[in-house]
Amino acid sequence: MFARKLGFCASVLLILCTTACTSGSLEPPTPTPDPCGPGQISRYVDAIQRVEFRFNDVVAIASVTSRENLAAVIEDLEEIREEAEELQVPSCAVNARSALVIYIDATIEAYEAILADQPAADVNSALQRAAELRDAYFDAMAEVGGEQ
């Protein structure tokens, strides 16, 4: 009697193990898409460009704002800078994000020079530096597929 029960339990255990081992999918796991691959990087480029476009809108406002009223606009630029710095991007887009942050910093510095009523030569120098860093940002975006 004990041998029959042991044989029965062994049979049930064998059936359970066989079922458990073969009931799973035999398909290989789906690989995680490369965030820097074709079709994936565009979402990161789009996120960077959305911040850039908002920044450009505020710069357009700053360019027609009187010196006395620039402080509030500079605060808006600083908020956009923080947003740019906090963007989560893959390694292939880090340079583009960093270039945007550096460009924003230089632009803020130029408007701070205007706000502080610094000499025209200093303001022009700051604006020239911002323009050069804008071009560096455009180059970095082109490297990851962002059209300018």
Side-chain angles (χ1 to χ4, degrees):
M1 177 81 160
F2 178 73
R4 284 177 71 178
K5 286 184 179 180
L6 184 60
F8 176 74
C9 287
S11 296
V12 170
L13 187 57
L14 181 62
I15 291 170
L16 289 174
C17 285
T18 304
T19 304
C21 292
T22 60
S23 66
S25 174
L26 297 177
E27 297 177 26
T30 304
T32 304
D34 176 9
C36 296
Q40 297 296 317
I41 190 63
S42 63
R43 74 181 220 196
Y44 300 104
V45 168
D46 291 347
I48 293 169
Q49 286 179 327
R50 278 192 300 274
V51 174
E52 174 206 347
F53 296 154
R54 285 189 50 239
F55 170 73
N56 289 338
D57 289 344
V58 176
V59 167
I61 293 168
S63 69
V64 294
T65 300
S66 67
R67 186 174 58 81
E68 296 79 23
N69 296 317
L70 267 180
V73 179
I74 290 171
E75 286 179 20
D76 292 343
L77 292 172
E78 289 169 341
E79 288 176 14
I80 294 170
R81 185 222 182 268
E82 289 176 25
E83 182 181 341
E85 191 165 60
E86 292 172 1
L87 283 173
Q88 299 297 311
V89 297
S91 59
C92 58
V94 168
N95 287 343
R97 181 198 59 204
S98 296
L100 176 60
V101 170
I102 292 168
Y103 163 45
I104 292 172
D105 281 341
T107 304
I108 291 170
E109 289 172 12
Y111 281 105
E112 287 174 338
I114 294 168
L115 180 64
D117 202 19
Q118 292 184 2
D122 294 347
V123 170
N124 289 336
S125 176
L127 290 170
Q128 179 61 37
R129 180 172 182 269
E132 290 166 0
L133 291 169
R134 180 198 59 225
D135 292 343
Y137 161 70
F138 289 160
D139 291 344
M141 284 298 285
E143 288 178 16
V144 293
E147 310 254 340
Q148 292 298 323

